[in-house]
Amino acid sequence: MSEEFRTPERRVKTQDDVELWLKSKAYHELLGFLATLNTSVRGKSFTVEYSLSDAVKSMTAVLDLVLEEVDGIPLEEQQQRFGNRAFKTLGAAIVAKSQAWLEALIPEDKKGGIVELKVYFDDSFGNFTRIDYGTGHEINFLAFCCCLYKVGLFSECDHVATVFHLFRKYLSVMRRIQLHYKLEPAGSQGVWGLDDYQFIPFIFGSSQLIAHPSISPGDFVAQEVVTKHHENYMFLGCIKFINDVKRGPFAEHSNQLWNISAVKTWTKVNQGLIKMYKAEVLCKQPVIQHFQFGSLLPFEPQPPPSTLFSTTATPLNLPPPT
């Protein structure tokens, strides 16, 4: 991998560019990274033991710094119900301070990569001008995590912790931010979308539930199942959050998820969600047009196989589901 880091830039401006994106090194790296993390948590609840490195702990602590900024910035008084303008102040604070946050963690010989890491980190929390958040921002956090491996901060032993510790913390932070600032969902499809804001936690969460002895896909619409197990499985945590913030019959406000409850196995749910993610997120110009490309995630064509994360391979010597 080249050590000549460069400031990321947008490259997807037309539908033809989307086709180039789908053949790019960045696309294959991100999809392979998602597949690797997805497989690493297959059949595992949050209660299993897993390796938790100092690097993952330190990066998770950076998200606590973001929460400190949230706590220190009062909401603005305004007439409109959604999109509190204080979110712009939060954005300015993150952009101003993230350089120092990252410099404290990245190895000295990889500090040049911060010029790329910072872009993905800053864009992970929403659009500070439009005051919204959606799957296009979520993919930036996936890219940020992927780049932490590519600069050598994280290693293969961190796969499970990346999901169970770091991504789980990110999800918690974003839920706090979404509710606190009443963010508009970016590009929401309403009842026809999977979720107003997130997608990836449903992928990881369905992988966790593969081969579960008692919870089937049809069970997540049952309140008692969600109440009992939401702290152990990301998918059920997502359902609980939806139930907490939305009113009315589940089949009406979350029709896509309701349809998923009819799928027979979690394996099929997981496979279907990955296909849906490709079609509804990765292949959509309105989402990908905001993504930026540098040396870590290049726009140049990808000759198979991928250099770091395979789009089909799974981590070596995976244990059976637990």
Side-chain angles (χ1 to χ4, degrees):
M1 184 185 67
S2 172
E3 298 295 326
E4 296 181 1
F5 301 108
R6 60 179 186 264
T7 302
E9 59 182 357
R10 295 179 182 177
R11 298 291 298 273
V12 179
K13 300 176 182 178
T14 67
Q15 188 58 41
D16 288 341
D17 293 334
V18 173
E19 299 304 316
L20 295 176
W21 144 249
L22 296 177
K23 298 175 183 178
S24 71
K25 293 180 180 179
Y27 175 82
H28 285 273
E29 291 286 4
L30 283 175
L31 190 58
F33 181 61
L34 179 66
T36 296
L37 295 184
N38 179 66
T39 304
S40 75
V41 299
R42 178 174 60 90
K44 296 182 175 73
S45 77
F46 288 140
T47 60
V48 301
E49 293 186 5
Y50 58 90
S51 173
L52 183 57
S53 67
D54 289 340
V56 174
K57 290 179 183 177
S58 297
M59 191 55 66
T60 305
V62 171
L63 296 178
D64 284 319
L65 297 178
V66 174
L67 285 180
E68 288 181 12
E69 296 299 324
V70 173
D71 292 335
I73 299 172
L75 295 175
E76 293 191 14
E77 294 185 6
Q78 58 186 49
Q79 292 184 345
Q80 62 263 41
R81 179 182 176 188
F82 292 101
N84 192 278
R85 291 188 299 269
F87 183 61
K88 297 183 178 183
T89 306
L90 173 68
I94 291 174
V95 171
K97 297 181 179 182
S98 59
Q99 177 83 18
W101 294 343
L102 295 175
E103 284 180 350
L105 300 177
I106 304 302
E108 191 63 37
D109 62 335
K110 300 291 186 179
K111 275 186 165 44
I114 294 176
V115 70
E116 302 189 31
L117 286 164
K118 177 175 164 52
V119 168
Y120 299 126
F121 183 84
D122 292 349
D123 286 351
S124 296
F125 301 97
N127 186 291
F128 302 120
T129 301
R130 295 194 307 266
I131 315 183
D132 64 15
Y133 172 89
T135 53
H137 305 106
E138 181 187 67
I139 195 176
N140 274 278
F141 194 74
L142 181 70
F144 175 71
C145 292
C146 181
C147 290
L148 292 175
Y149 284 86
K150 300 197 76 173
V151 300
L153 186 66
F154 288 3
S155 63
E156 184 175 339
C157 67
D158 293 317
H159 287 159
V160 175
T162 299
V163 178
F164 282 7
H165 201 74
L166 182 57
F167 190 87
R168 189 183 181 191
K169 179 68 174 184
Y170 168 72
L171 183 59
S172 173
V173 169
M174 286 318 308
R175 285 172 177 163
R176 168 78 189 284
I177 289 175
Q178 289 156 19
L179 295 177
H180 188 64
Y181 297 103
K182 295 183 171 58
L183 301 186
E184 294 278 10
S188 172
Q189 300 179 42
V191 297
W192 305 112
L194 186 68
D195 182 78
D196 285 342
Y197 298 105
Q198 316 290 162
F199 199 117
I200 293 175
F202 291 95
I203 295 176
F204 294 154
S206 59
S207 182
Q208 283 183 275
L209 286 161
I210 288 174
H212 194 282
S214 62
I215 303 175
S216 69
D219 293 329
F220 74 77
V221 295
Q223 184 65 48
E224 62 271 17
V225 173
V226 174
T227 300
K228 183 177 180 180
H229 298 285
H230 73 274
E231 293 183 350
N232 293 331
Y233 297 98
M234 191 173 288
F235 193 101
L236 299 180
C238 290
I239 300 302
K240 182 180 185 301
F241 183 71
I242 290 172
N243 289 338
D244 288 345
V245 300
K246 294 192 174 184
R247 298 291 179 265
F250 190 88
E252 293 182 8
H253 63 61
S254 299
N255 187 261
Q256 281 280 22
L257 285 169
W258 177 263
N259 292 336
I260 287 173
S261 70
V263 179
K264 296 299 182 182
T265 69
W266 285 110
T267 297
K268 289 184 177 180
V269 169
N270 186 247
Q271 293 170 344
L273 286 173
I274 292 174
K275 290 180 181 178
M276 185 178 176
Y277 187 70
K278 293 179 186 178
E280 298 300 325
V281 179
L282 297 182
C283 291
K284 295 296 186 182
Q285 183 188 346
V287 176
I288 299 303
Q289 67 183 350
H290 301 292
F291 192 79
Q292 300 186 62
F293 303 85
S295 71
L296 295 172
L297 292 172
F299 194 67
E300 289 74 24
Q302 168 64 47
S306 178
T307 56
L308 183 59
F309 299 105
S310 167
T311 57
T312 57
T314 61
L316 298 177
N317 301 320
L318 280 174
T322 55

mmCIF file of all heavy atoms in Angstrom, residues 290-307:
data_model
loop_
_atom_site.group_PDB
_atom_site.id
_atom_site.type_symbol
_atom_site.label_atom_id
_atom_site.label_comp_id
_atom_site.label_asym_id
_atom_site.label_seq_id
_atom_site.Cartn_x
_atom_site.Cartn_y
_atom_site.Cartn_z
ATOM 1 N N HIS A 290 -21.611 11.798 -2.335
ATOM 2 C CA HIS A 290 -20.971 12.577 -1.272
ATOM 3 C C HIS A 290 -19.722 11.892 -0.715
ATOM 4 O O HIS A 290 -18.975 12.517 0.039
ATOM 5 C CB HIS A 290 -21.970 12.811 -0.133
ATOM 6 C CG HIS A 290 -23.202 13.549 -0.568
ATOM 7 N ND1 HIS A 290 -23.181 14.866 -0.956
ATOM 8 C CD2 HIS A 290 -24.496 13.138 -0.688
ATOM 9 C CE1 HIS A 290 -24.407 15.250 -1.289
ATOM 10 N NE2 HIS A 290 -25.214 14.221 -1.136
ATOM 11 N N PHE A 291 -19.505 10.631 -1.092
ATOM 12 C CA PHE A 291 -18.361 9.889 -0.555
ATOM 13 C C PHE A 291 -17.076 10.385 -1.203
ATOM 14 O O PHE A 291 -17.052 10.755 -2.377
ATOM 15 C CB PHE A 291 -18.533 8.390 -0.818
ATOM 16 C CG PHE A 291 -17.556 7.534 -0.064
ATOM 17 C CD1 PHE A 291 -17.754 7.244 1.274
ATOM 18 C CD2 PHE A 291 -16.428 7.018 -0.693
ATOM 19 C CE1 PHE A 291 -16.857 6.454 1.983
ATOM 20 C CE2 PHE A 291 -15.523 6.238 -0.005
ATOM 21 C CZ PHE A 291 -15.731 5.947 1.338
ATOM 22 N N GLN A 292 -15.986 10.381 -0.405
ATOM 23 C CA GLN A 292 -14.725 10.915 -0.902
ATOM 24 C C GLN A 292 -13.648 9.824 -0.954
ATOM 25 O O GLN A 292 -13.647 8.899 -0.140
ATOM 26 C CB GLN A 292 -14.271 12.077 -0.021
ATOM 27 C CG GLN A 292 -15.292 13.222 0.015
ATOM 28 C CD GLN A 292 -14.803 14.429 0.763
ATOM 29 O OE1 GLN A 292 -13.810 15.049 0.386
ATOM 30 N NE2 GLN A 292 -15.476 14.786 1.845
ATOM 31 N N PHE A 293 -12.731 9.961 -1.894
ATOM 32 C CA PHE A 293 -11.748 8.928 -2.190
ATOM 33 C C PHE A 293 -10.338 9.483 -2.077
ATOM 34 O O PHE A 293 -10.047 10.573 -2.590
ATOM 35 C CB PHE A 293 -11.962 8.386 -3.614
ATOM 36 C CG PHE A 293 -13.339 7.835 -3.850
ATOM 37 C CD1 PHE A 293 -14.392 8.674 -4.227
ATOM 38 C CD2 PHE A 293 -13.595 6.484 -3.693
ATOM 39 C CE1 PHE A 293 -15.669 8.173 -4.441
ATOM 40 C CE2 PHE A 293 -14.872 5.965 -3.901
ATOM 41 C CZ PHE A 293 -15.904 6.813 -4.281
ATOM 42 N N GLY A 294 -9.472 8.722 -1.397
ATOM 43 C CA GLY A 294 -8.073 9.101 -1.280
ATOM 44 C C GLY A 294 -7.178 7.943 -1.652
ATOM 45 O O GLY A 294 -7.511 7.147 -2.536
ATOM 46 N N SER A 295 -6.052 7.791 -0.954
ATOM 47 C CA SER A 295 -5.142 6.683 -1.246
ATOM 48 C C SER A 295 -5.534 5.415 -0.497
ATOM 49 O O SER A 295 -5.255 4.303 -0.952
ATOM 50 C CB SER A 295 -3.707 7.074 -0.882
ATOM 51 O OG SER A 295 -3.550 7.155 0.534
ATOM 52 N N LEU A 296 -6.163 5.555 0.658
ATOM 53 C CA LEU A 296 -6.574 4.391 1.442
ATOM 54 C C LEU A 296 -7.780 3.697 0.815
ATOM 55 O O LEU A 296 -7.875 2.459 0.828
ATOM 56 C CB LEU A 296 -6.885 4.802 2.881
ATOM 57 C CG LEU A 296 -5.695 5.324 3.696
ATOM 58 C CD1 LEU A 296 -6.163 5.873 5.039
ATOM 59 C CD2 LEU A 296 -4.673 4.213 3.906
ATOM 60 N N LEU A 297 -8.693 4.472 0.291
ATOM 61 C CA LEU A 297 -9.866 3.949 -0.416
ATOM 62 C C LEU A 297 -9.911 4.624 -1.790
ATOM 63 O O LEU A 297 -10.603 5.622 -1.980
ATOM 64 C CB LEU A 297 -11.138 4.215 0.390
ATOM 65 C CG LEU A 297 -11.251 3.441 1.706
ATOM 66 C CD1 LEU A 297 -12.441 3.930 2.523
ATOM 67 C CD2 LEU A 297 -11.353 1.932 1.461
ATOM 68 N N PRO A 298 -9.173 4.081 -2.743
ATOM 69 C CA PRO A 298 -9.007 4.754 -4.036
ATOM 70 C C PRO A 298 -10.181 4.517 -4.996
ATOM 71 O O PRO A 298 -10.864 3.491 -4.926
ATOM 72 C CB PRO A 298 -7.718 4.118 -4.608
ATOM 73 C CG PRO A 298 -7.172 3.248 -3.519
ATOM 74 C CD PRO A 298 -8.308 2.907 -2.617
ATOM 75 N N PHE A 299 -10.365 5.472 -5.888
ATOM 76 C CA PHE A 299 -11.398 5.370 -6.915
ATOM 77 C C PHE A 299 -10.920 4.545 -8.111
ATOM 78 O O PHE A 299 -11.723 4.169 -8.958
ATOM 79 C CB PHE A 299 -11.808 6.774 -7.380
ATOM 80 C CG PHE A 299 -13.080 6.806 -8.184
ATOM 81 C CD1 PHE A 299 -14.300 6.493 -7.605
ATOM 82 C CD2 PHE A 299 -13.064 7.153 -9.533
ATOM 83 C CE1 PHE A 299 -15.473 6.528 -8.336
ATOM 84 C CE2 PHE A 299 -14.229 7.200 -10.282
ATOM 85 C CZ PHE A 299 -15.440 6.886 -9.680
ATOM 86 N N GLU A 300 -9.621 4.275 -8.170
ATOM 87 C CA GLU A 300 -9.078 3.531 -9.294
ATOM 88 C C GLU A 300 -9.661 2.121 -9.350
ATOM 89 O O GLU A 300 -10.057 1.557 -8.327
ATOM 90 C CB GLU A 300 -7.542 3.447 -9.180
ATOM 91 C CG GLU A 300 -6.815 4.751 -9.441
ATOM 92 C CD GLU A 300 -6.956 5.740 -8.303
ATOM 93 O OE1 GLU A 300 -7.196 5.303 -7.153
ATOM 94 O OE2 GLU A 300 -6.829 6.951 -8.552
ATOM 95 N N PRO A 301 -9.699 1.502 -10.554
ATOM 96 C CA PRO A 301 -10.280 0.151 -10.704
ATOM 97 C C PRO A 301 -9.558 -0.886 -9.856
ATOM 98 O O PRO A 301 -8.349 -0.798 -9.638
ATOM 99 C CB PRO A 301 -10.106 -0.146 -12.192
ATOM 100 C CG PRO A 301 -9.969 1.189 -12.843
ATOM 101 C CD PRO A 301 -9.277 2.070 -11.843
ATOM 102 N N GLN A 302 -10.324 -1.838 -9.376
ATOM 103 C CA GLN A 302 -9.788 -2.887 -8.518
ATOM 104 C C GLN A 302 -9.576 -4.177 -9.301
ATOM 105 O O GLN A 302 -10.537 -4.810 -9.714
ATOM 106 C CB GLN A 302 -10.751 -3.167 -7.367
ATOM 107 C CG GLN A 302 -10.448 -4.429 -6.570
ATOM 108 C CD GLN A 302 -9.114 -4.364 -5.860
ATOM 109 O OE1 GLN A 302 -8.817 -3.355 -5.227
ATOM 110 N NE2 GLN A 302 -8.321 -5.411 -5.955
ATOM 111 N N PRO A 303 -8.331 -4.598 -9.510
ATOM 112 C CA PRO A 303 -8.107 -5.927 -10.089
ATOM 113 C C PRO A 303 -8.226 -6.972 -9.003
ATOM 114 O O PRO A 303 -7.550 -6.873 -7.975
ATOM 115 C CB PRO A 303 -6.664 -5.838 -10.616
ATOM 116 C CG PRO A 303 -6.015 -4.817 -9.746
ATOM 117 C CD PRO A 303 -7.082 -3.857 -9.306
ATOM 118 N N PRO A 304 -9.105 -7.969 -9.137
ATOM 119 C CA PRO A 304 -9.237 -8.975 -8.071
ATOM 120 C C PRO A 304 -7.959 -9.804 -7.961
ATOM 121 O O PRO A 304 -7.227 -9.934 -8.944
ATOM 122 C CB PRO A 304 -10.415 -9.826 -8.547
ATOM 123 C CG PRO A 304 -10.462 -9.631 -10.026
ATOM 124 C CD PRO A 304 -9.975 -8.237 -10.264
ATOM 125 N N PRO A 305 -7.646 -10.371 -6.776
ATOM 126 C CA PRO A 305 -8.404 -10.228 -5.528
ATOM 127 C C PRO A 305 -8.056 -8.950 -4.794
ATOM 128 O O PRO A 305 -7.037 -8.331 -5.088
ATOM 129 C CB PRO A 305 -7.932 -11.439 -4.711
ATOM 130 C CG PRO A 305 -6.522 -11.641 -5.164
ATOM 131 C CD PRO A 305 -6.521 -11.304 -6.631
ATOM 132 N N SER A 306 -8.926 -8.579 -3.810
ATOM 133 C CA SER A 306 -8.695 -7.380 -3.019
ATOM 134 C C SER A 306 -7.401 -7.497 -2.233
ATOM 135 O O SER A 306 -6.978 -8.581 -1.844
ATOM 136 C CB SER A 306 -9.872 -7.160 -2.062
ATOM 137 O OG SER A 306 -9.659 -6.040 -1.262
ATOM 138 N N THR A 307 -6.762 -6.362 -1.974
ATOM 139 C CA THR A 307 -5.450 -6.367 -1.341
ATOM 140 C C THR A 307 -5.491 -6.653 0.153
ATOM 141 O O THR A 307 -4.537 -7.143 0.714
ATOM 142 C CB THR A 307 -4.756 -5.007 -1.553
ATOM 143 O OG1 THR A 307 -5.607 -3.977 -1.051
ATOM 144 C CG2 THR A 307 -4.497 -4.770 -3.017
#
